[in-house]
């Protein structure tokens, strides 16, 4: 990695969520002064107090180490006053139709005051980190022109970080994609990312926007594909772990995203797949494959319920334990988590639900009602007729299975992520059932 920013203009980051805060801390780490803006005054107050509004490994340390270069405020004019490049990292959640909700993006565009053309030292650019449909940059540029803000340049710089390893992903990205009009702003973003020495894709704005949506849709497709293979494995006696191992060695396929489970969740895949499907539909193209990807994912979450019925019969009055609530390990993010669907469906079927997550419990309390929030994993499994692994946190993988068996009322362990050592579970006298794998029952 090359040396840090010397004497460059400060940058602004609008939105201090998972992407914005990591981006801000990352650029501060590389030597920039960063003005971080959020409309959530409580979030800004917490950041002022040195508290982290989100859980992300390594982020608190990076923010603390660069505290003197990070400035937090709710005042966008403050960032505009000082910064040249304004990174936009606000949410783009789905609307009811499945299109991306761009209201927060346009709120930022509208909040920027019109101003007479600036000198070279004072010029500004919006750099879009938020995931937006292809064509959004062109629309924003039209709006800026209508609002007499043509002197504001526009760059698309989609973000590819993964929650749970976001700090690492900022510092060592697979690629940096920059879509621009070939003006000073694109050059400035290239320069800012240069110390990371990552492969650079410099292209037009619409193509950069499409790289992001197409990448997430492809990864989601890979997950739904292996999940369907897993479902066929269950009917044919094959083991999806062996199948994926054999497939992944083909370097045209690769091992990543070939882990069968109870479906993808999170703040990105579900909404980005739907947004791409809608984008295609809005422009007259029926993206048939993505319909299937979405449907398979929804059904996959629900197959867990079918498996529980297969083993336990009626779930009325049964106690089911969900281990893990976050949509994946190492994050507190509950957006579109499989646990939301499962806890609701189990209660609808009359089950009593006990849940535990190492970090997402506080967040989950706002979203999941009627369940017992346990204090730890062993407390969660107490009296359970079945335990379902929903999120493969390390501490669940390393559980003391004889102790779990002693505390459970029943014997079923349903591994929704194919992450547990099946033999260790069965050796404890429990019945192990994964996704796309043969059921393993204790021989004791
Ligand atoms: P987030 O919800 O964690 O953060 C968004 C932040 O923007 C919030 O703090 C919110 O208060 C703030 N905000 C909303 N409107 C604002 C406004 N008008 N002015 C200032 N602040 C405002 O969202 P996130 O997960 O960081 O995602 C942000 C964008 O990045 C989305 O488009 C998402 O699709 C994309 N993205 C997310 C990830 C991820 O893993 N989370 C990865 C890549 C890309």
């Amino acid at each position: 990695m090359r040396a840090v920013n010397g004497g460059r203009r400060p940058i602004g980051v609008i939105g201090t969520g998972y992407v914005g805060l990591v981006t801000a801390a990352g650029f501060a780490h590389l030597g920039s002064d960063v003005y971080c803006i959020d409309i959530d005054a409580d979030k800004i107050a917490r950041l002022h107090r040195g508290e982290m509004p989100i859980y992300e490994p390594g982020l608190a340390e990076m923010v603390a180490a660069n505290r003197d270069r990070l400035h937090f405020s709710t005042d966008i004019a403050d960032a505009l006053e000082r910064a040249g490049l304004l990174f936009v990292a606000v949410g783009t959640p789905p609307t009811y139709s499945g299109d991306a909700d761009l209201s927060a993006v346009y709120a930022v565009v509208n909040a920027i005051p019109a101003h007479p053309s600036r000198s070279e030292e004072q010029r500004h650019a919006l750099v879009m980190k938020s995931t937006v449909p292809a064509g959004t940059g062109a629309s924003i540029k039209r709006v800026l022109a209508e609002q007499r803000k043509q002197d504001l340049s526009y760059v698309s710089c989609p973000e590819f970080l993964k929650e749970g390893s976001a700090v690492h992903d900022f510092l060592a990205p697979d690629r940096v994609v920059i879509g621009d009009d070939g003006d000073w702003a694109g050059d400035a973003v290239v320069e800012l990312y240069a110390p990371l020495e990552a492969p650079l894709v410099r292209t037009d704005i619409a193509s950069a926007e499409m790289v992001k949506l197409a990448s997430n849709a492809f990864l989601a497709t890979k997950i739904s594909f292996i999940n369907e293979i897993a479902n066929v494995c269950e009917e044919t006696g094959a083991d999806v772990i062996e199948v994926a191992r054999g497939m992944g060695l083909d370097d045209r396929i690769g091992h990543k995203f070939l882990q069968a489970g109870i479906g993808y969740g999170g703040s990105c895949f579900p909404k980005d797949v739907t947004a791409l499907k809608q984008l295609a539909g809005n422009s007259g193209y029926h993206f048939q494959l993505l319909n299937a990807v979405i449907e398979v994912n929804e059904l996959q979450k629900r197959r867990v319920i079918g498996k529980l019925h297969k083993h336990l019969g009626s779930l009325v009055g049964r106690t089911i334990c969900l281990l893990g609530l976050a949509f994946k390990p190492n994050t507190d993010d509950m957006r579109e988590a499989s646990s939301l669907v499962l806890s609701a469906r189990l209660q609808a079927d009359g089950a009593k639900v006990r849940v535990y997550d190492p970090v997402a419990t506080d967040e989950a309390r706002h979203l999941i009602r009627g369940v017992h929030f346990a204090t730890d994993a062993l407390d969660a499994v107490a009296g359970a007729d079945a335990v379902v692994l929903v999120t493969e946190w390390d501490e669940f993988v390393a559980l003391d299975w004889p102790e779990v068996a002693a505390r459970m009322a029943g014997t079923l362990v349903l591994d929704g992520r194919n992450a547990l050592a099946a033999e260790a579970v069965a050796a404890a006298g429990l019945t192990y059932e994964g996704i796309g794998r043969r059921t393993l029952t204790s021989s004791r």
Side-chain angles (χ1 to χ4, degrees):
M1 199 181 293
R2 269 211 283 121
V4 295
N5 176 5
R8 194 186 285 144
R9 278 176 83 191
I11 63 167
V13 175
I14 320 295
T16 57
Y18 290 90
V19 168
L21 195 53
V22 170
T23 302
F27 282 131
H29 173 77
L30 294 180
S32 287
D33 259 31
V34 186
Y35 288 80
C36 310
I37 308 300
D38 205 289
I39 43 165
D40 184 339
D42 182 50
K43 203 173 250 190
I44 293 298
R46 292 182 66 185
L47 287 163
H48 272 298
R49 291 196 297 271
E51 295 171 18
M52 282 299 105
I54 53 169
Y55 174 82
E56 183 59 47
L59 183 59
E61 293 80 355
M62 196 185 229
V63 168
N66 295 286
R67 191 62 191 85
D68 54 335
R69 282 195 283 267
L70 287 164
H71 314 273
F72 300 108
S73 162
T74 54
D75 183 6
I76 196 166
D78 188 38
L80 201 67
E81 191 59 38
R82 302 162 196 272
L85 299 175
L86 293 170
F87 286 81
V88 180
V90 298
T92 48
T95 58
Y96 285 116
S97 64
D99 292 280
D101 179 351
L102 299 177
S103 56
V105 167
Y106 278 103
V108 172
V109 171
N110 294 332
I112 292 175
H115 44 70
S117 289
R118 307 259 177 163
S119 66
E120 212 163 274
E121 297 73 43
Q122 292 177 317
R123 58 196 176 179
H124 293 112
L126 283 182
V127 186
M128 191 57 63
K129 284 260 127 209
S130 297
T131 303
V132 295
T136 303
S139 302
I140 290 175
K141 282 170 55 184
R142 277 196 295 277
V143 171
L144 290 172
E146 280 161 25
Q147 295 179 345
R148 299 182 189 287
K149 301 174 191 167
Q150 300 94 316
D151 54 329
L152 200 67
S153 291
Y154 185 89
V155 179
S156 166
C157 182
E159 182 54 60
F160 299 94
L161 62 74
K162 302 176 288 299
E163 288 174 23
S165 58
V167 170
H168 166 269
D169 294 346
F170 175 89
L171 293 171
D174 291 339
R175 76 293 210 192
V176 172
V177 177
I178 296 173
D180 69 303
D181 293 327
D183 66 359
W184 70 272
D187 294 343
V189 179
V190 169
E191 192 193 330
L192 204 55
Y193 275 102
L196 301 179
E197 295 175 353
L200 175 71
V201 178
R202 191 159 179 190
T203 181
D204 60 277
I205 293 170
S207 300
E209 293 167 336
M210 192 57 122
V211 170
K212 174 65 191 177
L213 283 185
S215 298
N216 274 0
F218 184 79
L219 293 172
T221 302
K222 214 172 165 190
I223 295 171
S224 279
F225 181 85
I226 198 66
N227 282 339
E228 290 224 275
I229 295 292
N231 299 342
V232 179
C233 284
E234 285 178 8
E235 302 303 320
T236 55
D239 182 332
V240 76
I241 295 207
E242 296 301 304
V243 175
R245 191 158 65 97
M247 288 170 65
L249 285 168
D250 184 330
D251 63 10
R252 295 168 303 176
I253 298 174
H255 290 290
K256 290 182 179 168
F257 284 76
L258 273 193
Q259 285 74 39
I262 53 175
Y264 60 79
S267 65
C268 290
F269 284 179
K271 85 169 171 64
D272 292 349
V273 174
T274 311
L276 180 52
K277 187 191 104 168
Q278 290 298 107
L279 176 68
N282 294 341
S283 50
Y285 180 73
H286 179 59
F287 205 143
Q288 203 162 341
L289 182 59
L290 292 187
N291 281 321
V293 169
I294 294 164
E295 192 184 346
V296 168
N297 196 55
E298 280 313 305
L299 292 175
Q300 199 67 13
K301 293 179 193 170
R302 285 156 218 274
R303 278 178 73 86
V304 173
I305 308 291
K307 283 172 183 274
L308 289 170
H309 279 293
K310 183 182 84 181
H311 286 273
L312 302 177
S314 166
L315 298 183
V316 176
R318 297 288 201 162
T319 299
I320 310 296
C321 162
L322 301 183
L323 289 180
L325 297 169
F327 86 92
K328 68 174 185 178
N330 298 319
T331 181
D332 59 350
D333 199 341
M334 285 291 299
R335 289 177 284 188
E336 301 283 335
S338 296
S339 62
L340 297 171
V341 173
L342 287 180
S343 56
R345 276 302 316 274
L346 288 170
Q347 290 185 80
D349 281 4
K352 291 180 257 176
V353 182
R354 298 172 68 82
V355 302
Y356 173 68
D357 189 283
V359 303
T361 301
D362 286 348
E363 186 59 27
R365 281 183 203 278
H366 303 298
L367 303 167
I368 299 179
R369 304 257 176 258
V371 303
H372 173 77
F373 286 95
T375 51
D376 59 36
L378 289 178
D379 176 30
V381 302
D385 293 295
V387 168
V388 182
L389 181 79
V390 180
T391 317
E392 65 276 34
W393 286 93
D394 285 347
E395 70 168 77
F396 300 149
V397 176
L399 269 171
D400 177 344
W401 292 105
E403 184 62 31
V404 171
R407 291 179 182 231
M408 286 177 68
T411 57
L412 178 63
V413 174
L414 220 163
D415 182 358
R417 300 295 175 189
N418 285 351
L420 306 176
E423 293 74 16
V425 173
L430 297 166
T431 297
Y432 173 92
E433 172 140 356
I435 306 293
R437 312 192 68 193
R438 286 181 287 276
T439 305
L440 207 58
T441 312
S442 167
S443 51
R444 290 195 315 182

